[in-house]
Amino acid sequence: MLILGIESSCDETGVALVEARDAGLPVLRAQALHTQVAMHEAYGGVVPELASRDHIRRVLPLAEAVLRDAGAKLRELDVIAYTRGPGLAGALLVGAGVACALGAALGKPVLGVHHLEGHLLSPFLSADPPHFPFIALLVSGGHTQLMQVEGVGRYTLLGETIDDAAGEAFDKSAKLMGLGYPGGPALSRLAEQGDPQAFKLPRPLLHSGDLDFSFAGLKTAVLTQAKKLGGELEGRKADLAASTQAAIVEVLVKKSLAALERSGLQSIVIAGGVGANKALRAELNSACAKRGARVHYPELDFCTDNGAMIAMAAAMRLQAKAKAATTIYAFDVKPRWPLAELT
Ligand code: KG4
Ligand code: ZN
């Protein structure tokens, strides 16, 4: 079965082709991605209307490139999957509209996928896929959640951020340090040259006893520190970046280990854009190694938004018979859509 996946929830247009067989994990045949980062950079963040228009321009050429790379024909597609939410309404509508139009034209069923389920299942695209059950730390630009994952579609929320997401903490701190957009990768690159202990920054909710997170206060502490430094900020930026990253990473690692401890599980999956962070990977690897637990990551390219994770999530849902594709082409999108609503 050949599944075409389309991702258009935010500032990346992603298309991929995955092949699902009766047994074994689905296999990625080809994928293509266009990132809008350069376009939004001038505005310091994503401009939703520009994002939607760019998705319209990119999605069909990307789909053609994927089919060409895979040596597949349009009529050979069995299912067209798309990101139904959460995300920017206009951007989601582009992927949903194209998927349903393709489905209707080809007479093939369509399947709306939850964006976070895509992230959650993205490590199954890697050379070292996890096994159910596992703990998942979902750390993207909009979400920070710890989930217990029993199988496809069987997700229990253990804890989440009560305000900003970890990615937002990276992005907002980077912005106020003048590092541009998206700030996460820029801040973490600069942090490599800094001292993570140079500034004492708060570790919000570290000892709260639950698995929730809070990052809004951290951003304020970074702002206060930056103001205090005044003219000296320029020379101390790498230290401030390293200290900010260390605070975010410490909280994420401690809570992830607490989730493993509570669940009695031995494996954890890290998914979402912040999962590309090298310091987070290094700290988690060493903390989990000490505990005899395994960490699974998506390949670096599949940490941030992409079409492969959407095609993969659709393929795994269909394999698990957890959801059926439909030939009813009336579509909606869900800009807000809690993962816990998926069953
Ligand atoms: O998963 P994603 O591509 O989009 C959402 O679904 O939100 O995640 C984007 C987030 C942004 O906040 C970005 O700054 C962050 O992931 N990010 C990073 C790194 N790469 C991406 N944060 C820290 N270190 C990185 N290397
Ligand atoms: Zn995402």
Side-chain angles (χ1 to χ4, degrees), residues 9 12 115-116 119 139-143 166-168 170-171 182-185 188 245 272-274 276-278 303-305:
S9 68
E12 258 104 26
H115 180 82
L116 293 181
H119 277 303
V139 269
S140 69
H143 295 84
E168 251 175 309
F170 270 106
D171 292 341
S188 75
Q245 174 172 269
V274 180
N277 186 269
K278 281 191 204 155
C303 282
T304 43
D305 293 346

Side-chain angles (χ1 to χ4, degrees), residues 220-242:
T220 311
V222 174
L223 179 64
T224 309
Q225 192 56 252
K227 279 189 178 151
K228 222 191 265 175
L229 284 167
E232 282 171 48
L233 175 63
E234 208 46 51
R236 304 292 311 277
K237 240 185 216 178
D239 285 343
L240 188 54

Side-chain angles (χ1 to χ4, degrees), residues 4 17 48 68 73 145 190 206 244 283-284 336:
L4 189 77
L17 189 69
R68 203 170 44 237
K73 300 258 180 304
Q145 300 184 326
L190 186 61
L206 189 62
T244 306
E283 296 283 322
L284 257 172
R336 288 172 189 278

Side-chain angles (χ1 to χ4, degrees), residues 117-319:
E117 183 171 45
H119 277 303
L120 201 67
L121 300 177
S122 61
F124 286 98
L125 287 158
S126 78
D128 176 31
H131 294 280
F132 296 117
F134 53 77
I135 293 296
L137 173 67
L138 262 177
V139 269
S140 69
H143 295 84
T144 299
Q145 300 184 326
L146 275 163
M147 320 270 313
Q148 182 155 337
V149 178
E150 300 293 338
V152 177
R154 289 158 61 206
Y155 315 128
T156 310
L157 183 67
L158 303 176
E160 65 183 331
T161 184
I162 56 170
D163 42 53
D164 288 354
E168 251 175 309
F170 270 106
D171 292 341
K172 289 179 177 173
S173 304
K175 194 169 184 176
L176 63 89
M177 283 184 230
L179 299 179
Y181 152 89
L187 190 146
S188 75
R189 265 194 308 276
L190 186 61
E192 284 174 21
Q193 300 146 31
D195 172 7
Q197 279 159 1
F199 298 102
K200 258 194 150 42
L201 294 171
R203 267 67 171 157
L205 299 189
L206 189 62
H207 303 293
S208 61
D210 58 23
L211 297 173
D212 286 338
F213 302 88
S214 163
F215 291 107
L218 176 62
K219 164 200 66 196
T220 311
V222 174
L223 179 64
T224 309
Q225 192 56 252
K227 279 189 178 151
K228 222 191 265 175
L229 284 167
E232 282 171 48
L233 175 63
E234 208 46 51
R236 304 292 311 277
K237 240 185 216 178
D239 285 343
L240 188 54
S243 302
T244 306
Q245 174 172 269
I248 299 170
V249 166
E250 184 179 341
V251 181
L252 291 175
V253 171
K254 286 259 162 70
K255 297 263 169 163
S256 299
L257 285 185
L260 274 176
E261 199 73 47
R262 282 186 195 192
S263 65
L265 296 177
Q266 292 300 332
S267 91
I268 181 160
V269 153
I270 315 299
V274 180
N277 186 269
K278 281 191 204 155
L280 174 64
R281 288 184 173 220
E283 296 283 322
L284 257 172
N285 286 348
S286 86
C288 285
K290 274 187 210 139
R291 216 183 152 272
R294 287 286 319 271
V295 199
H296 296 268
Y297 304 95
E299 306 291 343
L300 271 181
D301 284 352
F302 296 146
C303 282
T304 43
D305 293 346
N306 63 85
M309 69 183 196
I310 300 304
M312 187 67 172
M316 290 182 72
R317 280 238 157 212
L318 294 168
Q319 261 186 343

